[in-house]
């Protein structure tokens, strides 16, 4: 008798759990709960990443360190990057301020040496590692190969046809009646052979000049004070401000000085100042 009552109670509980339904508006039953019985399979839960039509959406990609500069970029930041890469002997040209193939290869080399992904792009991790290994570059490290902006023109340059040469910013402006026609980077005499300062005139031009005193070429020479001239320098083109002249004003951009040589006349003024 006791067993019959217990069995009946158990059947009643099972009927209550498994048989009760909630009626929908269409009269069809919908189970409010899922009961897993021994031997049954658990239905798969819908993915939280499913798209609007139920298709699984792509997993979010892992975000790496932010990229600061990459090939094709041009900025002062790129110029500093190049100057610092030169300090650790991974770059030997420039700085130019433009992220070219040489810069990309230098960054790859630096990254690979330190176990970083060799992307060739300068990300925040690469940059921080480089900062720890280098010092802040000075002006002439940043502009070792030229490209620096010119300073204000000397008042003596504002009238007539003038080669306006600024020792402070290491630039030459070709000016006509106060207007700048062109600007180029220049280098001056080394210690012991300084470039003279003052106001002069171009007194002789020599396109293919050769210095007998120093046995070296001086193409596009425009003489303004004794043996001192403005001229193209192969050494300046190759080494930048790492070297110096014997007193002449060196130009490293051959195309620029070729154009300048064609415009300057004997008698044009030369102002050298700092």
């Amino acid at each position: 008798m006791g067993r019959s009552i217990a069995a009946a109670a158990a059947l009643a509980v099972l009927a209550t759990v498994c048989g009760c339904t909630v009626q929908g508006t269409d009269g069809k039953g919908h189970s409010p709960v899922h009961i897993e019985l021994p031997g049954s399979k658990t239905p798969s839960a819908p993915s939280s990443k499913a798209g609007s039509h139920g298709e699984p959406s792509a997993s979010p990609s892992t975000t790496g360190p932010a990229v600061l500069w990459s090939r094709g970029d041009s900025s002062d930041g790129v110029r500093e990057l190049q100057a610092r890469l030169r300090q650790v002997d991974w770059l030997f040209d420039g700085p130019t301020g433009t992220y070219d193939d040489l810069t990309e290869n230098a960054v790859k080399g630096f990254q690979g040496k330190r176990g970083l992904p060799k992307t060739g792009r300068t990300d925040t991790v690469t940059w921080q590692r480089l900062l720890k290994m280098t010092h802040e570059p000075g002006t002439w490290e940043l502009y070792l190969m030229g490209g620096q902006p010119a300073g204000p023109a000397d008042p003596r340059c504002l009238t007539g046809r003038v080669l306006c040469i600024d020792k402070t910013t290491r630039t030459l402006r070709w000016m006509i009646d106060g207007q700048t026609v062109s600007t180029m980077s220049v280098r001056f005499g080394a210690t012991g052979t300084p470039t003279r300062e003052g106001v002069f005139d171009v007194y002789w031009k020599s396109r293919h000049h050769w210095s007998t005193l120093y046995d070296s070429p001086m193409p596009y020479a425009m003489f303004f004070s004794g043996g001192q001239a403005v001229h193209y320098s192969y050494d300046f083109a190759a080494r930048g401000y790492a070297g110096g002249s014997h007193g002449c004003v060196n130009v490293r951009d051959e195309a620029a000085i070729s154009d300048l040589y064609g415009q300057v006349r004997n008698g044009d003024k030369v102002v050298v100042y700092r």
Side-chain angles (χ1 to χ4, degrees):
M1 182 68 176
R3 291 182 180 177
S4 299
I5 294 173
L11 289 172
V13 172
L14 184 60
T16 300
V17 175
C18 297
C20 291
T21 60
V22 176
Q23 294 295 322
T25 56
D26 58 356
K28 296 180 180 180
H30 302 282
S31 173
V33 293
H34 169 74
I35 302 299
E36 181 178 351
L37 299 177
S40 67
K41 294 182 178 179
T42 304
S44 299
S47 171
S48 61
K49 299 178 181 178
S52 59
H53 298 289
E55 301 88 358
S57 60
S59 299
S61 58
T62 302
T63 302
V67 174
L68 302 175
W69 307 287
S70 58
R71 188 167 180 174
D73 290 342
S74 294
S75 68
D76 290 339
V78 172
R79 185 178 291 277
E80 181 178 349
L81 166 69
Q82 293 169 329
R84 289 180 183 271
L85 286 170
R86 285 184 61 90
Q87 291 178 27
V88 291
D89 295 329
W90 277 107
L91 187 66
F92 299 95
D93 286 21
T96 63
T98 297
Y99 206 115
D100 53 14
D101 58 333
L102 296 176
T103 305
E104 184 178 61
N105 289 335
V107 171
K108 282 183 180 178
F110 178 83
Q111 290 170 329
K113 184 73 172 179
R114 280 141 195 93
L116 302 174
K118 295 174 62 176
T119 64
R121 299 185 297 273
T122 303
D123 55 41
T124 53
V125 173
T126 301
W127 180 238
Q128 289 301 318
R129 185 68 63 87
L130 184 59
L131 287 179
K132 291 177 180 178
M133 298 178 61
T134 55
H135 63 263
E136 183 176 356
T139 298
W140 303 116
E141 287 180 284
L142 292 170
Y143 294 98
L144 178 66
M145 307 306 288
Q148 67 275 14
D154 187 281
R156 295 170 292 180
C157 299
L158 300 180
T159 57
R161 299 164 57 86
V162 190
L163 291 171
C164 189
I165 302 170
D166 183 354
K167 281 187 168 183
T168 300
T169 62
R170 302 182 183 183
T171 55
L172 179 155
R173 295 176 190 251
W174 168 229
M175 303 184 69
I176 299 178
D177 297 329
Q179 300 298 313
T180 299
V181 178
S182 60
T183 304
M184 57 202 74
S185 303
V186 291
R187 187 177 72 172
F188 302 101
T191 303
T193 55
T195 301
R196 289 185 279 274
E197 299 172 23
V199 180
F200 313 92
D201 293 328
V202 175
Y203 71 87
W204 180 36
K205 293 172 62 181
S206 179
R207 166 65 182 83
H208 301 286
H209 194 77
W210 186 275
S211 170
T212 55
L213 180 61
Y214 297 108
D215 193 26
S216 61
M218 296 172 57
Y220 305 102
M222 294 169 277
F223 289 89
F224 61 87
S225 177
Q228 295 190 355
V230 175
H231 68 84
Y232 176 70
S233 168
Y234 296 101
D235 183 73
F236 187 22
R239 298 200 298 141
Y241 292 111
S245 76
H246 293 99
C248 288
V249 178
N250 292 164
V251 178
R252 69 180 304 272
D253 187 333
E254 187 170 8
I257 195 170
S258 174
D259 185 62
L260 178 64
Y261 186 88
Q263 297 180 60
V264 172
R265 307 169 188 161
N266 286 343
D268 286 345
K269 186 162 59 174
V270 178
V271 177
V272 183
Y273 65 99
R274 69 172 68 245

